[in-house]
Amino acid sequence: MRTGTIFAWLAILVLAGCAQQPVQTRASPMPPGFEAASQHADHSWWRACFTMPFDENGAPRWSMDLLLADRIAGPAITRHASEIPLWRFHRRAARDGAGHRFSLLFYADPRTAAQLFAEIDSDPLVPVLVDSGYLKRLTSRCAPDTLGPGTEASSDRSWDIRLQRTWPYFIMGVSAHWLALIGEVGAEYPQSSDAPDELLDRYGRIGDEIDEIWRKQGQHAYLHHLSALFGYQPLSVQTLMQF
């Protein structure tokens, strides 16, 4: 058989093989499983909040955030992992009406949101913390309890809309990492009881360890690798570097 004929038959076979393969297209650049967040029209952002008083010196008890994340909010998210494509934590403390507040934001349908709120409300640790005075109140449904539909609804409105829509994937990874770090460090500090004072002491020590990790290794582990992901492009920051 002549060479030209061989190549002709090979070309036909290749084209036939291609014709049998379905053409796969992607509506977004997200990896498998991540498209779900933008495909559910019935999903909205919801927010569960915990409000804490300042201590006797007027300072926030940051260890409460770790306790709430590890013992209440984190387990609730884990139970509904297949129903909640996006979630994140938010920590803040200021001398204003909100004060010291730890929040769990999650993207879900109304049924899942109602179940998660009910589970948080009925967690046996909540009344223990309230009675001890460490937890001022549980406002499981923050006002407004829903931030609206669209993955961008929980992002800063001043950002580029493309950043608003995709940023939740970034901060969910950060939140999951922080929660895992609490568990990793916490394994070094066995829990003896659920007495509020002992819980605060344990999570205080865990928090100190995590603060030290951030202080010593955050520049390379977090900032350097984030910069590398964006090709080491210049970044505009304030001179004082206070975020």
Side-chain angles (χ1 to χ4, degrees), residues 62-63 65-66 89-93 101-103 178 211:
W62 289 115
S63 55
D65 295 3
L66 281 74
F89 294 132
H90 184 262
R91 307 173 70 187
R92 60 96 66 199
R101 175 179 288 179
F102 175 76
S103 303
W178 180 70
D211 290 347

Side-chain angles (χ1 to χ4, degrees), residues 77-152:
I77 285 293
T78 299
R79 287 192 294 269
H80 296 278
S82 63
E83 303 161 300
I84 299 176
L86 289 169
W87 62 272
R88 67 181 176 92
F89 294 132
H90 184 262
R91 307 173 70 187
R92 60 96 66 199
R95 294 291 182 180
D96 56 20
H100 179 194
R101 175 179 288 179
F102 175 76
S103 303
L104 166 66
L105 295 91
F106 59 99
Y107 197 63
D109 61 78
R111 180 188 61 82
T112 300
Q115 290 178 349
L116 191 143
F117 283 131
E119 291 171 12
I120 290 178
D121 287 337
S122 61
D123 192 293
L125 185 57
V126 170
V128 173
L129 295 173
V130 172
D131 292 342
S132 69
Y134 288 128
L135 182 62
K136 190 174 182 180
R137 67 179 182 274
L138 169 64
T139 311
S140 64
R141 289 175 176 261
C142 293
D145 59 357
T146 178
L147 303 178
T151 57
E152 71 274 15

Side-chain angles (χ1 to χ4, degrees), residues 219-237:
Q219 178 179 344
H220 183 261
Y222 302 123
L223 303 184
H224 166 75
H225 286 283
L226 186 58
S227 175
L229 188 62
F230 285 90
Y232 302 106
Q233 294 300 309
L235 176 68
S236 177
V237 297

